[in-house]
Amino acid sequence: IYRDVAARSGEVSIPLRQFTSDADTLEKAFADIQPETGEPYFPELADLGIHQALSQLDWSEAPETSRWLLLFGDAPPYDPDFQEAETGARRRYDTDILVNLAKRKNVQISCVLCTSREAELPAYQQVLDKTRKFMNALATETGGLMLDLSYPDIGSALARTAKQPRVEQQRVGRISRDDIEAAKASAETAKQTVAESERIRW
């Protein structure tokens, strides 16, 4: 979870340091996350959050493992040349550094550009192009995807899709070669039965 230099909960926190598929553990971690306004400015420490996620989490090195990092945000990091001694606000990691680190770990970064609150829309609109450029570079250079919810039609389409009933899935057991041969034989028998009962027209 990345915030900003003056955030009361700190710049970055990691609710879970180990990857897990345990639903209860994940739900508890998500429940502890509280939204917090970043300070002192609208840009945030997305660059620091990404770097810590890439460098501090226990990423698998197994070749058959897919590694994804999902970035959600409504603001860009600080400009590369921005640095303010009074507040400590500054850019921590250049985009190229983040991309190269992700590539070394074979991590694809996908980004979701979120909308902002009504009160922050002027600031949001002012830096929207920077946010879009930052996220697009991360996604494009690492083979990820970008979902830009700043476009109203994309947001509406996503909302409609979310309301559709969920398709339940059922695990299917392993299909053996004998199963395939039996299905073929059954299909062939059914075809012959139909053919023999058909009337021939001249």
Side-chain angles (χ1 to χ4, degrees), residues 12-155:
V12 174
S13 60
I14 302 178
L16 291 172
R17 292 188 175 270
Q18 297 292 328
F19 289 98
T20 180
S21 58
D22 182 73
D24 291 337
T25 302
L26 291 170
E27 285 181 13
K28 184 180 183 306
F30 292 148
D32 291 340
I33 297 174
Q34 297 297 324
E36 187 173 321
T37 300
E39 294 179 1
Y41 302 112
F42 191 74
E44 298 169 339
L45 298 179
D47 54 322
L48 179 60
I50 294 168
H51 189 274
Q52 291 209 12
L54 290 170
S55 60
Q56 295 190 19
L57 294 180
D58 186 23
W59 295 91
S60 170
E61 296 182 2
E64 70 276 8
T65 301
S66 297
R67 289 165 286 271
W68 302 332
L69 189 155
L70 306 179
L71 171 67
F72 295 83
D74 63 350
Y78 289 98
D79 290 339
D81 57 351
F82 183 88
Q83 186 166 348
E84 192 175 71
E86 182 181 347
T87 62
R90 63 184 174 87
R91 181 70 173 262
R92 306 299 174 85
Y93 296 97
D94 190 73
T95 305
D96 289 342
I97 292 176
L98 301 176
V99 167
N100 290 334
L101 180 57
K103 285 182 175 180
R104 286 203 305 272
K105 291 181 173 285
N106 292 316
V107 176
Q108 291 181 321
I109 302 177
S110 291
C111 304
V112 179
L113 201 170
C114 305
T115 55
S116 196
R117 297 181 300 181
E118 190 75 28
E120 296 169 341
L121 282 180
Y124 173 80
Q125 292 292 342
Q126 188 175 353
V127 297
L128 180 57
D129 286 342
K130 291 181 180 180
T131 311
R132 190 176 286 138
K133 181 180 178 182
F134 172 68
M135 290 187 170
N136 187 58
L138 291 173
T140 302
E141 295 296 325
T142 63
L145 299 170
M146 179 177 167
L147 180 62
D148 190 343
L149 298 179
S150 68
Y151 294 106
D153 54 340
I154 294 179

